[in-house]
Amino acid sequence: MAETVVAPPLRVIPIIPELKPDAMKDVRSFVANEKIQTAIGFPGQLVDDWHDRAIGKMGELLEKYRSLKVYMDACVHCGACSDKCHYFIGTQDPKNMPVARQDLMRSVYRRYFTVAGKLFPKLVGARDLTRDVLDEWYTYFNQCSECRRCSVFCPYGIDTAEVTMAAREILDTVGYGQKYTNEIIGKVHSIGNNLGLPGPALIDTLQGLEEDVKEDTGVDVRFPIDVQGAEVLLITPSADFFAEPHIDSLIGYAKVFHAAGISWTLSSKASEAGNFGLFIGNYDQLRKIALRIREAALELGVKRIIVGECGHAWRVAYSFWNTLTGIGAGAEDPFALQLQRQLDGRYRQPTHICEFTWDLIERDALRFDKSANDQYVVTFHDSCNVARGSRMGDLMGGQFEIPRNIIRAVANHFVEMPENTIREKTFCCGGGGGLLTDDLIDLRVKGALPRMEALQEVAQTHGVNFMATICAICKAQFSKVLPYYNFDRRVVGGVHQLVSNAILLGPKQ
Amino acid sequence: MAGTLMALLFYLAVLVFAGGLLYRIAGYARTPAPLKIPTTPAPTTRSGVVLRMAREVLLFESLFKANLWIWGFGILFHFGLALVLARHLRYFTEPVWGWVDLVQPFGIYAGFAMALGLAGLWARRLFVQRIRYISTPSDHLMLVLLLAIALSGLSMKFIDHPDVVAVKRFFEGWLQLSFQPFPDSALLVLHLSCVALLLLIFPFSKLLHAPGVFFSPTRNQVDNPREHRHLSSWAAARYEGEGPRG
Ligand code: SF4
Ligand code: SF4
């Protein structure tokens, strides 16, 4: 399959592409089988009364989520969002326009939940939930990476990600789940991380890393795991343990902890920062996966929780952990207080690894040899969940400044990509939101188009040869799709990879 | 007779409008937002959110970032409408409020701005491929209805003046539940019937974007999830009694 996929040509002038109806109608992510579905409590296959159950679930979600309720009503079909989705730009399929994607559900909402749609379906674009419609939902709600770029531009803040999550929740409820995401959720429960890496293998890997770093630097940098009473619990995506280029950032974190002299530990129980419960919009799963981290923190008695380079994990950690698990501050209930009393209130809980490193840099606690990164002209790709779903530091927009500040502190050459492709307007890598699977490679390659165009521009004008990012999915996705656009796959890497290259570990002279 | 009918129609329309809108707003207000989902960068304080919302509602900030054409026509239409509405207050107040007198001279330009904005939006709906694709018949008809209101209103100013004193007498009577004769003007009947229709469909249509924007969690939430524990009523109830370790 991968052989037949070709990247769309880069646009010379970024004009809004023409519509190609149904261009992506046959690109369907693999459906979850019975075993995958039942392992996480969903029906094994499409249930007989799927129609009634789907409508029932939709009604329930409309009562539970103000976002969905308001967004179903408020859209005026102005079209401001219509050219903002990377999947639309890359595929030209009109159903990948954010508003059209929402309309897949809105049309059904109107038919079953509004007076106008019950009386005059044709007039207001309402339609029955037929099997075709359900299939269409499956196809196109699995072509949205829940990146929220559309929500930045909508005059009412309508967030298609919320609609996609609701749709996937409904699909799961009737037994029509997606293989990739649901299988991974199963793994996180049964093994502890998304990659299915068992504890002993993890311990081996970490030992190997200690040896590698010793060989490289001559310094005993530790990669501790399950250390009772450590100051810091590091929660990082499992890809950091052995995928390239992720592992170089893990080495970077370890060096920073070493240089700062702060005791830290990983946890074999919570060896995964990622939380794919977010992608399927299922509150129970989101919470259950997040609770592993709470449990690990309580068991190990740590004072701080720090999160590694992972985009959606940071959104979940920053925005939802306090709600779901009590990791945060300001609670009054015993459940949350139990943990909040243990955590050190002088620090932000949770802390992003970039916040941690930048704090140390600001306090002059780290030393660097910036020339170690002189072979690179660096740019920074804002990952969507960090950019549009979280923050760092105390100021609005800290999630943009802090990683850039770190890069400037450790490398001499940094340039920005075009303004409409960075910060809150950043384009998704094309593989987020549960789409990082080989069965969607066609979509992933096409969805990367806007980012590749931006990268191409700075590669040409400034010789950019390193695109730093702080997301495990971005790293994996770009490593895979960069070659389709004639870039070397090693052009992408982590911010802490650059930190790792430049940090000086010996005693202060 | 025409007067009585029109008066009754307006009582009905206002009732449906107000009742329907209150019902919808109560629905939005009652539904919890279980998770913190502001589209960041978002304000970290309540007052910051008020400012963000003000910029959104008064300046259409996000739309400005998205598309200058839609923004421009949208601003023309909405600001035109606001001024025109203000101008119409003179039919319901005696004595006419000072500031209404003040905006009076601009009202006429506002009427044109409104019509121009609507025409622009409709042209985009008809001729821009992406927007035509997402348009339903009701989207077109809504613009037709609004244009009919604007154009019939303007025609009464420039082509066929109805007796405005009689109009005012009619509405002052209407406010006090007394039926007054309705001025004899086909344009006025058209104008007011369209307005009544607009009021009637307001709570059942996409016009709900007006109250909706204030309830949009991506725009109205404060970005402070680490500092404050945000818990919805249903989530709190659902997991109550589960041990402290979940
Ligand atoms: S959330 Fe992202 S992927 Fe989904 S429709 Fe919006 S822009 Fe496209
Ligand atoms: S920008 Fe918002 S209101 Fe306009 S079409 Fe898109 S979702 Fe609808």
Side-chain angles (χ1 to χ4, degrees):
Chain A
M1 185 169 172
E3 280 73 45
T4 63
V5 173
V6 276
L10 303 183
R11 294 167 297 170
V12 186
I13 322 163
I15 38 157
I16 300 165
E18 220 185 298
L19 304 185
K20 279 193 199 153
D22 293 334
M24 297 298 281
K25 78 173 189 334
D26 298 322
V27 176
R28 282 164 59 81
S29 194
F30 294 161
V31 178
N33 65 24
E34 181 140 14
K35 200 166 134 240
I36 291 171
Q37 284 285 99
T38 49
I40 55 172
F42 296 131
Q45 52 194 338
L46 191 64
V47 293
D48 291 332
D49 57 345
W50 58 267
H51 176 274
D52 295 355
R53 275 211 226 176
I55 298 299
K57 187 73 191 178
M58 194 165 168
E60 183 195 322
L61 294 178
L62 285 165
E63 295 297 306
K64 279 178 151 178
Y65 290 87
R66 183 185 291 169
S67 50
L68 188 67
K69 196 180 184 88
V70 172
Y71 298 160
M72 282 295 110
D73 281 338
C75 175
V76 296
H77 282 170
C78 70
C81 62
S82 62
D83 57 345
K84 302 296 185 276
C85 177
H86 53 289
Y87 290 124
F88 168 66
I89 295 171
T91 69
Q92 297 174 247
D93 188 319
K95 288 186 183 132
N96 278 328
M97 298 192 289
V99 46
R101 197 186 312 282
Q102 301 157 23
D103 275 350
L104 299 176
M105 181 181 282
R106 189 174 288 115
S107 55
V108 174
Y109 163 76
R110 286 192 171 153
R111 184 76 179 112
Y112 295 86
F113 297 94
T114 72
V115 178
K118 281 177 189 163
L119 298 177
F120 316 106
K122 285 257 155 48
L123 184 73
V124 297
R127 54 184 188 163
D128 291 322
L129 180 60
T130 61
R131 181 61 208 264
D132 284 346
V133 171
L134 197 75
D135 289 341
E136 193 176 43
W137 279 23
Y138 183 85
T139 304
Y140 287 100
F141 286 120
N142 284 306
Q143 293 191 19
C144 168
S145 58
E146 301 173 345
C147 77
R148 313 178 88 213
R149 187 169 195 266
C150 42
S151 125
V152 168
F153 296 99
C154 173
Y156 320 114
I158 295 178
D159 182 0
T160 315
E162 291 290 306
V163 180
T164 296
M165 287 171 194
R168 292 186 188 171
E169 165 88 325
I170 295 171
L171 287 165
D172 275 325
T173 316
V174 299
Y176 201 168
Q178 184 222 22
K179 173 172 181 270
Y180 171 72
T181 305
N182 289 1
E183 189 169 31
I184 280 180
I185 293 176
K187 270 193 221 157
V188 100
H189 292 312
S190 63
I191 306 175
N193 54 61
N194 289 359
L195 292 176
L197 200 65
L202 191 55
I203 291 164
D204 264 9
T205 310
L206 295 175
Q207 266 169 7
L209 278 177
E210 288 182 354
E211 286 156 24
D212 291 350
V213 176
K214 170 93 185 179
E215 208 170 287
D216 249 25
T217 63
V219 181
D220 278 309
V221 174
R222 304 292 320 280
F223 288 79
I225 185 161
D226 295 332
V227 177
Q228 196 73 35
E231 162 94 3
V232 169
L233 170 62
L234 177 75
I235 302 292
T236 205
S238 55
D240 281 2
F241 299 125
F242 72 94
E244 284 287 347
H246 308 63
I247 204 161
D248 295 319
S249 284
L250 177 63
I251 295 171
Y253 320 149
K255 287 180 179 173
V256 170
F257 285 122
H258 177 95
I262 292 174
S263 73
W264 66 290
T265 184
L266 294 156
S267 154
S268 55
K269 172 177 218 163
S271 53
E272 176 62 66
N275 188 331
F276 279 26
L278 173 72
F279 298 159
I280 58 169
N282 184 287
Y283 196 97
D284 285 342
Q285 283 297 344
L286 188 63
R287 180 171 181 274
K288 203 171 159 202
I289 296 169
L291 280 175
R292 293 157 39 257
I293 290 139
R294 172 190 167 88
E295 284 163 26
L298 287 170
E299 279 168 26
L300 295 169
V302 295
K303 297 279 174 229
R304 309 174 64 176
I305 302 179
I306 295 183
V307 180
E309 295 182 356
C310 182
H312 83 281
W314 179 240
R315 181 180 183 200
V316 173
Y318 173 86
S319 292
F320 307 153
W321 272 3
N322 202 358
T323 298
L324 300 168
T325 69
I327 300 171
E332 278 158 14
D333 56 306
F335 170 83
L337 276 177
Q338 180 192 13
L339 186 58
Q340 297 192 354
R341 288 212 180 96
Q342 174 191 315
L343 298 174
D344 189 337
R346 289 172 304 168
Y347 300 103
R348 301 179 195 100
Q349 307 284 0
T351 305
H352 192 281
I353 187 72
C354 285
E355 291 179 305
F356 176 72
T357 300
W358 178 240
D359 261 8
L360 291 168
I361 295 175
E362 276 197 302
R363 289 196 279 113
D364 232 357
L366 302 176
R367 291 171 307 124
F368 300 101
D369 169 18
K370 291 169 86 165
S371 68
N373 283 315
D374 273 353
Q375 75 269 37
Y376 295 132
V377 181
V378 183
T379 192
F380 182 67
H381 162 79
D382 292 277
S383 299
C384 26
N385 277 296
V386 177
R388 291 184 283 261
S390 77
R391 178 161 53 94
M392 291 180 202
D394 294 325
L395 298 177
M396 216 170 126
Q399 71 270 37
F400 308 131
E401 302 314 325
I402 288 174
R404 286 172 168 81
N405 291 346
I406 296 176
I407 295 173
R408 287 197 195 94
V410 303
N412 283 313
H413 313 293
F414 174 75
V415 286
E416 293 280 14
M417 285 183 277
E419 190 272 333
N420 69 327
T421 73
I422 57 170
R423 298 173 187 259
E424 74 262 33
K425 295 180 188 165
T426 187
F427 278 106
C428 170
C429 62
L435 307 182
L436 189 74
T437 168
D438 282 344
D439 42 285
L440 287 175
I441 191 67
D442 188 16
L443 179 78
R444 286 167 54 192
V445 169
K446 288 173 175 155
L449 178 73
R451 173 51 75 222
M452 292 296 106
E453 289 174 338
L455 180 61
Q456 178 68 30
E457 192 174 324
V458 287
Q460 256 162 17
T461 50
H462 300 284
V464 164
N465 58 2
F466 192 88
M467 180 167 64
T469 185
I470 46 174
C471 172
I473 290 178
C474 292
K475 290 173 195 169
Q477 155 76 355
F478 284 133
S479 299
K480 179 97 182 183
V481 303
L482 277 165
Y484 287 89
Y485 290 90
N486 302 318
F487 287 106
D488 189 289
R489 60 193 296 269
R490 281 162 305 189
V491 165
V492 67
V495 167
H496 278 78
Q497 181 175 339
L498 297 172
V499 171
S500 173
N501 294 343
I503 196 168
L504 296 173
L505 295 174
K508 252 193 181 154
Q509 314 294 334
Chain B
M1 181 60 196
T4 312
L5 271 183
M6 195 50 89
L8 287 175
L9 177 63
F10 262 81
Y11 287 126
L12 177 73
V14 168
L15 216 64
V16 170
F17 172 79
L21 215 53
L22 279 178
Y23 176 79
R24 297 313 276 260
I25 289 175
Y28 297 149
R30 206 183 48 231
T31 311
L35 294 167
K36 280 279 196 170
I37 58 164
T39 306
T40 55
T44 55
T45 58
R46 227 337 98 204
S47 48
V49 165
V50 171
L51 266 181
R52 180 188 209 181
M53 192 57 88
R55 289 197 309 272
E56 206 60 89
V57 173
L58 298 174
L59 305 175
F60 303 176
E61 182 181 50
S62 299
L63 190 57
F64 182 77
K65 286 188 222 162
N67 188 307
L68 282 178
W69 286 107
I70 306 177
W71 179 82
F73 289 131
I75 285 275
L76 274 179
F77 165 60
H78 284 89
F79 277 78
L81 177 65
L83 271 180
V84 167
L85 282 178
R87 190 171 187 264
H88 279 66
L89 282 176
R90 68 172 44 251
Y91 295 109
F92 300 89
T93 51
E94 187 56 52
V96 174
W97 301 332
W99 68 270
V100 175
D101 264 338
L102 227 58
V103 300
Q104 174 77 9
F106 305 103
I108 229 43
Y109 303 107
F112 283 111
M114 193 180 147
L116 187 70
L118 287 167
L121 290 171
W122 199 13
R124 287 187 59 81
R125 217 174 259 305
L126 289 170
F127 301 119
V128 177
Q129 194 192 20
R130 283 169 294 126
I131 305 185
R132 187 169 63 230
Y133 178 91
I134 55 170
S135 298
T136 61
S138 58
D139 292 328
H140 291 282
L141 289 177
M142 190 67 80
L143 287 168
V144 172
L145 180 63
L146 287 165
L147 262 177
I149 293 172
L151 294 180
S152 58
L154 284 170
S155 311
M156 281 185 284
K157 176 77 192 173
F158 291 103
I159 301 169
D160 182 17
H161 276 283
D163 176 355
V164 283
V165 179
V167 176
K168 179 150 185 168
R169 201 181 311 118
F170 171 79
F171 274 109
E172 276 180 340
W174 182 83
L175 279 175
Q176 290 152 24
L177 300 179
S178 105
F179 297 95
Q180 299 295 323
F182 191 73
D184 181 20
S185 156
L187 270 176
L188 188 61
V189 172
L190 175 71
H191 186 67
L192 291 179
S193 312
C194 288
V195 172
L197 182 60
L198 188 74
L199 291 174
L200 281 168
I201 59 177
F202 201 107
F204 307 100
S205 68
K206 65 174 182 178
L207 298 177
L208 287 168
H209 68 279
V213 59
F214 295 99
F215 291 93
S216 174
T218 57
R219 292 291 183 270
N220 75 7
Q221 286 185 339
V222 182
D223 179 18
N224 61 357
R226 285 193 287 196
E227 293 77 20
H228 294 276
R229 186 156 197 253
H230 170 89
L231 203 58
S232 70
S233 48
W234 65 257
R238 181 169 173 86
Y239 303 109
E240 218 198 318
E242 275 190 45
R245 292 195 174 200

